[in-house]
């Protein structure tokens, strides 16, 4: 199957924050998450997007409320997971696995809807998060209140899976389901343990590069944004090198999709809203 990507929310930001040399015009950034039907592993989500837990959850901590007020994500009701799964003829309980590319709020906010799903993630990163104080996690952009308490027990550590070479010189990727269809490729820099997903078997291999950059335009040489975007990354040098790797994959003939890129992708779930 070809993956589809829903858009859980829009977040507005001036172009110059996300593309070097950009203008003050507001871009309507998307917050995608993927849905993929694997023949053996079942129904798989790639992250979960933003949800009401971030924007209106009654028990939210003060930092989470401040975060939501600052970014003001506009949730897309029709693209929340239950609605999207319904359109695809499935229910949340049918989701057998969730791939978590990293632990930022816009990737984990709907995890609670899938209490039975296996979670493919980096166990070492999760262990570091769980060993830190809530305050220390905030400095990494992580809200531990969005992480289910039993997350570690449901986690499949992708660093313990066998690896395969991803196409177009992308390097090695953890073979999530043992058949080469989904390869988790490390793209460090944006957040601790951040990785992308290469759909290696598609006629034109697709790299879902998640948050390697926010906009496809920033993958062009010299277009990655400077401050303050670089400040929120966990490792600026690694971010620059991951950006170059993603750009090189695209130059070699691969297709690239980013979580927040505002343009319409052929992988986007059709239907309102654009
Ligand atoms: Zn992120």
């Amino acid at each position: 199957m070809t993956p589809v990507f829903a858009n859980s929310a829009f977040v507005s930001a001036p172009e110059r924050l996300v593309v070097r040399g950009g203008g003050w015009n507001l871009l309507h950034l998307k917050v995608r998450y993927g849905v993929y039907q694997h023949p053996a592993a079942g129904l798989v989500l790639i992250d979960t997007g933003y949800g009401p837990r971030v924007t209106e959850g009654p028990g939210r901590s003060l930092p989470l409320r401040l975060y939501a007020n600052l970014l003001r994500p506009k949730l897309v009701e029709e693209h929340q997971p239950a609605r999207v799964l319904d359109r695809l003829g499935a229910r949340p309980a049918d989701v057998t696995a969730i791939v978590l590319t990293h632990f930022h709020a816009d990737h984990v906010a709907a995890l609670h809807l899938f209490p039975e799903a296996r979670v493919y993630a980096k166990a070492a990163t999760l262990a570091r998060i769980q060993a830190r104080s809530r305050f220390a996690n905030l400095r990494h952009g992580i809200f531990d209140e969005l992480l289910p308490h039993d997350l570690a027990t449901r986690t499949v550590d992708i660093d313990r899976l066998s690896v395969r070479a991803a196409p177009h010189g992308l390097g090695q990727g953890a073979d999530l389901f043992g058949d080469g269809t989904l390869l988790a490729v490390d793209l460090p820099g944006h957040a601790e343990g951040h990785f992308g997903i290469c759909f290696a078997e598609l006629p034109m291999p697709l790299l879902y590069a998640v948050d390697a950059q926010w906009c496809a335009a920033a993958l062009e040489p010299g277009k990655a944004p400077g401050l303050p975007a670089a400040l929120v990354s966990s490792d600026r040098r690694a971010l620059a090198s991951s950006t170059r790797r993603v750009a090189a994959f695209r130059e070699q003939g691969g297709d690239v999709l980013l979580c927040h890129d505002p343009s319409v992708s052929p992988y986007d779930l059709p239907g309102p809203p654009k």
Side-chain angles (χ1 to χ4, degrees), residues 67 101-107 141 190-191 194 210-212 214 259-260:
Y67 166 90
T101 62
H102 61 299
F103 295 87
H104 283 165
D106 50 334
H107 299 263
H190 167 73
H194 176 267
V210 199
D211 292 352
W214 284 286
C259 179
H260 303 301

Side-chain angles (χ1 to χ4, degrees), residues 93-273:
D94 297 326
V95 172
T96 52
I98 299 176
V99 183
L100 272 192
T101 62
H102 61 299
F103 295 87
H104 283 165
D106 50 334
H107 299 263
V108 304
L111 273 181
H112 63 289
L113 299 177
F114 309 98
E116 306 289 335
R118 289 189 310 284
V119 173
Y120 287 74
K122 284 194 180 265
T125 305
L126 180 59
R128 272 200 302 278
I129 290 168
Q130 291 183 325
R132 282 197 300 248
S133 69
R134 172 165 281 191
F135 180 72
N137 275 322
L138 288 177
R139 290 183 43 220
H140 292 262
I142 289 162
F143 298 89
D144 57 9
E145 66 203 83
L146 299 173
L147 302 177
H149 293 299
D150 67 343
L151 192 53
T153 63
R154 286 193 279 134
T155 294
V156 177
D157 183 9
I158 65 161
D159 285 335
R160 300 183 70 115
L161 301 176
S162 58
V163 295
R164 286 197 195 211
H168 299 319
L170 191 57
Q172 302 272 24
D175 188 0
L176 295 187
F177 302 123
D179 62 355
T181 54
L182 263 67
L183 304 177
V185 178
D186 285 341
L187 294 173
H190 167 73
E192 294 173 283
H194 176 267
F195 61 87
I197 297 293
C198 182
F199 296 85
E201 307 282 287
L202 293 177
M204 185 189 227
L206 168 69
L207 174 61
Y208 180 50
V210 199
D211 292 352
Q213 283 295 333
W214 284 286
C215 278
L219 296 171
E220 302 294 335
K223 288 294 182 182
L227 301 177
L231 278 182
V232 300
S233 74
S234 76
D235 179 339
R236 287 164 63 180
R237 202 177 268 182
L239 182 71
S241 134
S242 292
T243 300
R244 284 195 296 273
R245 264 176 79 204
V246 174
F249 174 82
R250 195 171 63 168
E251 274 158 35
Q252 303 279 316
D255 209 354
V256 169
L257 179 65
L258 298 164
C259 179
H260 303 301
D261 188 70
S263 58
V264 176
S265 154
Y267 295 100
D268 284 339
L269 185 71

